[in-house]
Amino acid sequence: MSNLKLCQGTKCHTYHTQDRLKGSKDNKTYQTRRRSNFYYGQGNFCSIRCQDDWFNDFGDQAIDHFGRTTQAKHLTEQNAWYKSYDWNNRTDDRLYVYRNGITKEQRPLTEEQYNDNSYTINTGE
Ligand SMILES: [Zn+2]
């Protein structure tokens, strides 16, 4: 029981589902969901609904705490590279490429570079 996590949704216990209804015959209550793993909000919420409930209650506070974006961020030429691939129709192989979303320039990429999440030619944020 101690390895189970509780859903962090602020209203989770108010949703009338059979799996939330716990307790003995004359002492039943709807309870916050408890599972070994959740799939939403980095494992903190049992459903999108619970994640939304939390955000509606605390989202503004969280954003203010960690820093509200007050100016538009810019993705420049230097940072607009993204990994992609085309199909070689003749051999049915993938042709890995780096494409620049602004200049539309294209550069070859190896499969290893494509699969390496830390490999980038972008500079800066
Ligand atoms: Zn929940």
Side-chain angles (χ1 to χ4, degrees), residues 7-9 11-13 15 20 32-33 38 45-47 50-51:
C7 172
Q8 296 302 301
K11 298 185 179 98
C12 190
H13 63 290
Y15 300 125
R20 287 180 173 99
T32 300
R33 274 184 174 150
F38 293 122
F45 303 98
C46 73
S47 64
C50 281
Q51 183 181 306

mmCIF file of all heavy atoms in Angstrom, residues 7-9 11-13 15 20 32-33 38 45-47 50-51, ligand 1:
data_model
loop_
_atom_site.group_PDB
_atom_site.id
_atom_site.type_symbol
_atom_site.label_atom_id
_atom_site.label_comp_id
_atom_site.label_asym_id
_atom_site.label_seq_id
_atom_site.Cartn_x
_atom_site.Cartn_y
_atom_site.Cartn_z
ATOM 1 N N CYS A 7 -3.457 10.370 -6.557
ATOM 2 C CA CYS A 7 -3.674 11.374 -7.591
ATOM 3 C C CYS A 7 -3.651 12.742 -6.930
ATOM 4 O O CYS A 7 -4.218 12.932 -5.858
ATOM 5 C CB CYS A 7 -5.024 11.133 -8.268
ATOM 6 S SG CYS A 7 -5.487 12.451 -9.413
ATOM 7 N N GLN A 8 -2.989 13.698 -7.575
ATOM 8 C CA GLN A 8 -2.895 15.038 -7.000
ATOM 9 C C GLN A 8 -4.056 15.946 -7.424
ATOM 10 O O GLN A 8 -4.108 17.116 -7.058
ATOM 11 C CB GLN A 8 -1.556 15.677 -7.392
ATOM 12 C CG GLN A 8 -0.354 14.941 -6.812
ATOM 13 C CD GLN A 8 -0.409 14.873 -5.296
ATOM 14 O OE1 GLN A 8 -0.445 15.905 -4.622
ATOM 15 N NE2 GLN A 8 -0.439 13.669 -4.732
ATOM 16 N N GLY A 9 -4.992 15.402 -8.169
ATOM 17 C CA GLY A 9 -6.159 16.181 -8.580
ATOM 18 C C GLY A 9 -6.945 16.656 -7.364
ATOM 19 O O GLY A 9 -7.214 15.875 -6.462
ATOM 20 N N LYS A 11 -9.988 17.514 -7.108
ATOM 21 C CA LYS A 11 -11.380 17.070 -7.025
ATOM 22 C C LYS A 11 -11.530 15.584 -7.318
ATOM 23 O O LYS A 11 -12.650 15.089 -7.488
ATOM 24 C CB LYS A 11 -12.234 17.863 -8.017
ATOM 25 C CG LYS A 11 -12.273 19.350 -7.735
ATOM 26 C CD LYS A 11 -13.237 20.049 -8.688
ATOM 27 C CE LYS A 11 -13.306 21.528 -8.399
ATOM 28 N NZ LYS A 11 -12.448 22.310 -9.299
ATOM 29 N N CYS A 12 -10.418 14.857 -7.367
ATOM 30 C CA CYS A 12 -10.438 13.437 -7.746
ATOM 31 C C CYS A 12 -11.496 12.665 -6.952
ATOM 32 O O CYS A 12 -12.245 11.870 -7.508
ATOM 33 C CB CYS A 12 -9.048 12.829 -7.517
ATOM 34 S SG CYS A 12 -8.840 11.182 -8.211
ATOM 35 N N HIS A 13 -11.568 12.909 -5.649
ATOM 36 C CA HIS A 13 -12.479 12.169 -4.765
ATOM 37 C C HIS A 13 -13.951 12.525 -4.988
ATOM 38 O O HIS A 13 -14.830 11.874 -4.438
ATOM 39 C CB HIS A 13 -12.113 12.447 -3.308
ATOM 40 C CG HIS A 13 -12.274 13.886 -2.931
ATOM 41 N ND1 HIS A 13 -11.437 14.868 -3.428
ATOM 42 C CD2 HIS A 13 -13.173 14.510 -2.152
ATOM 43 C CE1 HIS A 13 -11.822 16.036 -2.949
ATOM 44 N NE2 HIS A 13 -12.878 15.855 -2.179
ATOM 45 N N TYR A 15 -15.438 12.612 -7.977
ATOM 46 C CA TYR A 15 -15.976 11.967 -9.174
ATOM 47 C C TYR A 15 -16.505 10.584 -8.829
ATOM 48 O O TYR A 15 -15.800 9.768 -8.259
ATOM 49 C CB TYR A 15 -14.920 11.916 -10.285
ATOM 50 C CG TYR A 15 -14.465 13.307 -10.680
ATOM 51 C CD1 TYR A 15 -13.130 13.661 -10.661
ATOM 52 C CD2 TYR A 15 -15.411 14.271 -11.017
ATOM 53 C CE1 TYR A 15 -12.729 14.946 -11.001
ATOM 54 C CE2 TYR A 15 -15.020 15.561 -11.354
ATOM 55 C CZ TYR A 15 -13.677 15.891 -11.341
ATOM 56 O OH TYR A 15 -13.296 17.159 -11.660
ATOM 57 N N ARG A 20 -13.493 4.474 -7.201
ATOM 58 C CA ARG A 20 -13.194 5.445 -6.136
ATOM 59 C C ARG A 20 -14.018 5.187 -4.876
ATOM 60 O O ARG A 20 -13.718 5.717 -3.816
ATOM 61 C CB ARG A 20 -13.470 6.869 -6.625
ATOM 62 C CG ARG A 20 -12.463 7.404 -7.621
ATOM 63 C CD ARG A 20 -12.867 8.819 -8.028
ATOM 64 N NE ARG A 20 -11.885 9.493 -8.857
ATOM 65 C CZ ARG A 20 -11.954 9.594 -10.178
ATOM 66 N NH1 ARG A 20 -12.950 9.037 -10.826
ATOM 67 N NH2 ARG A 20 -11.023 10.243 -10.862
ATOM 68 N N THR A 32 -9.829 9.651 -3.224
ATOM 69 C CA THR A 32 -8.806 9.969 -4.219
ATOM 70 C C THR A 32 -8.206 8.678 -4.752
ATOM 71 O O THR A 32 -7.915 7.764 -3.980
ATOM 72 C CB THR A 32 -7.695 10.814 -3.548
ATOM 73 O OG1 THR A 32 -8.286 12.015 -3.034
ATOM 74 C CG2 THR A 32 -6.603 11.183 -4.540
ATOM 75 N N ARG A 33 -8.021 8.621 -6.083
ATOM 76 C CA ARG A 33 -7.452 7.407 -6.686
ATOM 77 C C ARG A 33 -6.020 7.180 -6.208
ATOM 78 O O ARG A 33 -5.238 8.121 -6.056
ATOM 79 C CB ARG A 33 -7.453 7.516 -8.210
ATOM 80 C CG ARG A 33 -8.760 7.072 -8.804
ATOM 81 C CD ARG A 33 -8.691 7.089 -10.310
ATOM 82 N NE ARG A 33 -9.900 6.522 -10.900
ATOM 83 C CZ ARG A 33 -10.391 6.880 -12.076
ATOM 84 N NH1 ARG A 33 -9.773 7.810 -12.794
ATOM 85 N NH2 ARG A 33 -11.491 6.329 -12.531
ATOM 86 N N PHE A 38 0.629 6.642 -12.549
ATOM 87 C CA PHE A 38 -0.353 7.425 -13.296
ATOM 88 C C PHE A 38 0.269 7.859 -14.607
ATOM 89 O O PHE A 38 1.482 7.981 -14.719
ATOM 90 C CB PHE A 38 -0.776 8.679 -12.505
ATOM 91 C CG PHE A 38 -1.550 8.391 -11.255
ATOM 92 C CD1 PHE A 38 -1.080 8.840 -10.029
ATOM 93 C CD2 PHE A 38 -2.742 7.696 -11.283
ATOM 94 C CE1 PHE A 38 -1.792 8.586 -8.868
ATOM 95 C CE2 PHE A 38 -3.462 7.440 -10.131
ATOM 96 C CZ PHE A 38 -2.985 7.893 -8.908
ATOM 97 N N PHE A 45 -1.195 12.550 -11.944
ATOM 98 C CA PHE A 45 -2.649 12.616 -12.078
ATOM 99 C C PHE A 45 -3.212 11.366 -12.750
ATOM 100 O O PHE A 45 -2.609 10.822 -13.669
ATOM 101 C CB PHE A 45 -3.044 13.855 -12.892
ATOM 102 C CG PHE A 45 -2.534 15.129 -12.288
ATOM 103 C CD1 PHE A 45 -1.370 15.711 -12.754
ATOM 104 C CD2 PHE A 45 -3.207 15.729 -11.229
ATOM 105 C CE1 PHE A 45 -0.875 16.874 -12.185
ATOM 106 C CE2 PHE A 45 -2.725 16.894 -10.650
ATOM 107 C CZ PHE A 45 -1.553 17.470 -11.126
ATOM 108 N N CYS A 46 -4.407 10.964 -12.298
ATOM 109 C CA CYS A 46 -5.026 9.758 -12.836
ATOM 110 C C CYS A 46 -5.707 10.028 -14.177
ATOM 111 O O CYS A 46 -6.019 9.091 -14.904
ATOM 112 C CB CYS A 46 -6.030 9.184 -11.843
ATOM 113 S SG CYS A 46 -7.562 10.123 -11.687
ATOM 114 N N SER A 47 -5.958 11.294 -14.487
ATOM 115 C CA SER A 47 -6.668 11.619 -15.725
ATOM 116 C C SER A 47 -6.372 13.063 -16.126
ATOM 117 O O SER A 47 -5.915 13.862 -15.305
ATOM 118 C CB SER A 47 -8.178 11.461 -15.509
ATOM 119 O OG SER A 47 -8.613 12.406 -14.550
ATOM 120 N N CYS A 50 -8.330 15.419 -13.874
ATOM 121 C CA CYS A 50 -7.700 15.741 -12.594
ATOM 122 C C CYS A 50 -6.531 16.700 -12.785
ATOM 123 O O CYS A 50 -6.316 17.604 -11.982
ATOM 124 C CB CYS A 50 -7.245 14.465 -11.879
ATOM 125 S SG CYS A 50 -8.618 13.620 -11.059
ATOM 126 N N GLN A 51 -5.777 16.515 -13.880
ATOM 127 C CA GLN A 51 -4.680 17.437 -14.169
ATOM 128 C C GLN A 51 -5.234 18.844 -14.411
ATOM 129 O O GLN A 51 -4.704 19.836 -13.898
ATOM 130 C CB GLN A 51 -3.920 16.946 -15.397
ATOM 131 C CG GLN A 51 -2.718 17.787 -15.756
ATOM 132 C CD GLN A 51 -2.021 17.275 -16.987
ATOM 133 O OE1 GLN A 51 -1.659 16.108 -17.061
ATOM 134 N NE2 GLN A 51 -1.833 18.133 -17.959
HETATM 135 ZN ZN ZN B 1 -7.559 11.803 -10.080
#
